[in-house]
Structures are given as C-alpha cells and as structure tokens.
Amino acid sequence: MPRPYRIRKRLGDHIRRWHNYARQHFSESRIYGGGDGDPFWGSTLIRNRHAIYKKVDHHDEDAVAALDMGLCFGLVRADIQAQLGTQSLWEVGHKALTDIPILSSVYAEILRLYTNIYVMVSSSQDDVTLGRWRLPKNAIGLLNSSASHHDSQFWNTANGAHPVGDFWAGRLLINPQDSSSGPINPAIRETQNHWIPRPPKYGGDKLSFYTDHAPQG
C-alpha cells in the first residue's frame, strides 16, 4: 500500500476510535453551560452531523470517518489556499506553512497537550526559593513543563468550553477584534506573572505561542 494511503488509513482508524469513544461516553448532561461544547463530540456542529448520519442509508463507520476526516481538512483549507494560492504543498517550504496561523496553532496545541520536557535551571549567584523548596547556589534543578502546559488558571479555556486537558485548535490564535481570544486566560492576563519555557513564536503577529505577560510599572 502506498505511504499516503497508509497515512489516510491510520487517520481513519483514529477517527473511528474517537467516534466509538464519544458514542459510549456522551450524554446531554455533559454539554457545557453555553450549550455548544462538550468533552466528547466537541461541538453542536459535530453532534448534529452524527445525528444526521444515523438516518442516512449506507453510511457505515468507515464512511462517517471519511466524512469527518474531510471536515478536519476543510477547516483549515481556506487559510491554506489564501496563503499558498495555486501552489501545491510540494512547491512550498515549511516556512510558508508555519506562516499560516491555524496550522501553527494546531501544531503548538499538540505540543502543549501531548509533549512534556524537562528544563534545567541553576543559580550561580545565590540560593533560590522555589515555593516551599530551596535551590542552593550552583545546584541544578529540573522543571517539568507538564504543570505549566496544563495550568488551568493560565490557559484560555473560553470560559470552560475548552478545558486544558482537551485539544482546541484555536487556543493560541489572537483575534484583534476579540479581547477574550489568545492563549492566556483573560481573567489573569493583566494581573499575574507566569513563567513558561518559551520556544520561538509561530505564525507571525496573528499567533502567540506560550506567551507570558508581565504587568507594567
């Protein structure tokens, strides 16, 4: 089987597992307060789609998985076309792809949710107090990024619609017309310092990746 077909099959398998899990665990009581999101199907759009699929003849699990796979790609297709025009993906470099905000946001959110690293810290000047711990001068400490990656007070969850333990493609996108957008919880954005290991930014000025905010003055 050609490699692209194997990748497509693997994606379809993942989507079918998601569908089975959602069908087993979803209930109306798990819909969030706003009436849209839920931790299994994700949104009213997906719930309604699957309610319709049940009524359509000849739509088995493979067909439904293929339809949702198409939806996933369709969500970012307009952004890709706007950036690349008539070029195919084979004709562009990876830098052009990282300039597409939604793709960079998806990539960054996957790293936040599923990737943890250790950061080595040390002080050559003085002992350092870290909460209830003390790091002696010239000693080496290791910080696990998991606590920061899953800090529900720091990350924007859209008022609980997208918990930090769930994947949200748009979590790191900043909409200049929407003050509630962006990766940081709006409730603490102007009031607290947060230290997070910060890789380079992706997606230009439309995407903020692991941004910290220090109050002025």
Side-chain angles (χ1 to χ4, degrees):
M1 180 185 294
R3 184 170 179 270
Y5 289 12
R6 293 198 304 271
I7 294 174
R8 184 178 65 184
K9 182 180 183 304
R10 189 162 64 248
L11 289 173
D13 291 341
H14 286 307
I15 291 175
R16 279 192 295 274
R17 283 197 290 272
W18 160 45
H19 289 170
N20 289 332
Y21 182 84
R23 282 193 290 266
Q24 292 172 17
H25 295 87
F26 172 77
S27 67
E28 295 288 335
S29 64
R30 300 303 301 274
I31 297 176
Y32 299 133
D36 181 22
D38 74 81
F40 304 108
W41 291 114
S43 69
T44 301
L45 169 66
I46 301 299
R47 292 196 300 271
N48 289 344
R49 280 169 61 89
H50 282 264
I52 293 171
Y53 291 156
K54 291 180 180 179
K55 304 175 183 178
V56 180
D57 293 336
H58 310 300
H59 273 52
D60 59 12
E61 290 188 1
D62 289 342
V64 173
L67 289 169
D68 274 357
M69 189 188 306
L71 175 65
C72 292
F73 282 103
L75 292 175
V76 299
R77 182 173 181 178
D79 294 87
I80 294 175
Q81 287 183 328
Q83 185 75 23
L84 304 183
T86 59
Q87 298 180 91
S88 72
L89 292 178
W90 300 107
E91 297 174 307
V92 299
H94 72 278
K95 179 60 171 63
L97 296 179
T98 61
D99 285 339
I100 301 175
I102 186 62
L103 289 185
S104 293
S105 181
V106 167
Y107 174 63
E109 176 71 346
I110 290 172
L111 292 180
R112 181 199 68 81
L113 187 58
Y114 298 112
T115 303
N116 297 312
I117 62 172
Y118 281 95
V119 179
M120 186 172 68
V121 295
S122 181
S123 171
S124 61
Q125 303 296 324
D126 301 292
D127 294 353
V128 177
T129 300
L130 301 172
R132 57 191 179 93
W133 294 278
R134 183 177 64 86
L135 181 66
K137 175 182 175 181
N138 293 325
I140 294 176
L142 293 177
L143 298 179
N144 190 317
S145 65
S146 178
S148 296
H149 286 189
H150 297 85
D151 183 351
S152 59
Q153 293 184 343
F154 173 79
W155 294 103
N156 191 349
T157 64
N159 292 320
H162 302 284
V164 293
D166 292 351
F167 175 83
W168 176 21
R171 193 183 306 274
L172 289 96
L173 292 176
I174 296 176
N175 180 351
Q177 280 73 50
D178 183 2
S179 61
S180 67
S181 68
I184 304 175
N185 178 0
I188 59 96
R189 191 177 293 160
E190 304 294 335
T191 61
Q192 298 185 29
N193 287 327
H194 288 263
W195 184 87
I196 292 181
R198 179 166 61 181
K201 288 186 177 181
Y202 293 83
D205 59 1
K206 296 183 180 178
L207 174 68
S208 180
F209 182 25
Y210 290 173
T211 305
D212 55 4
H213 187 283
Q216 302 299 314

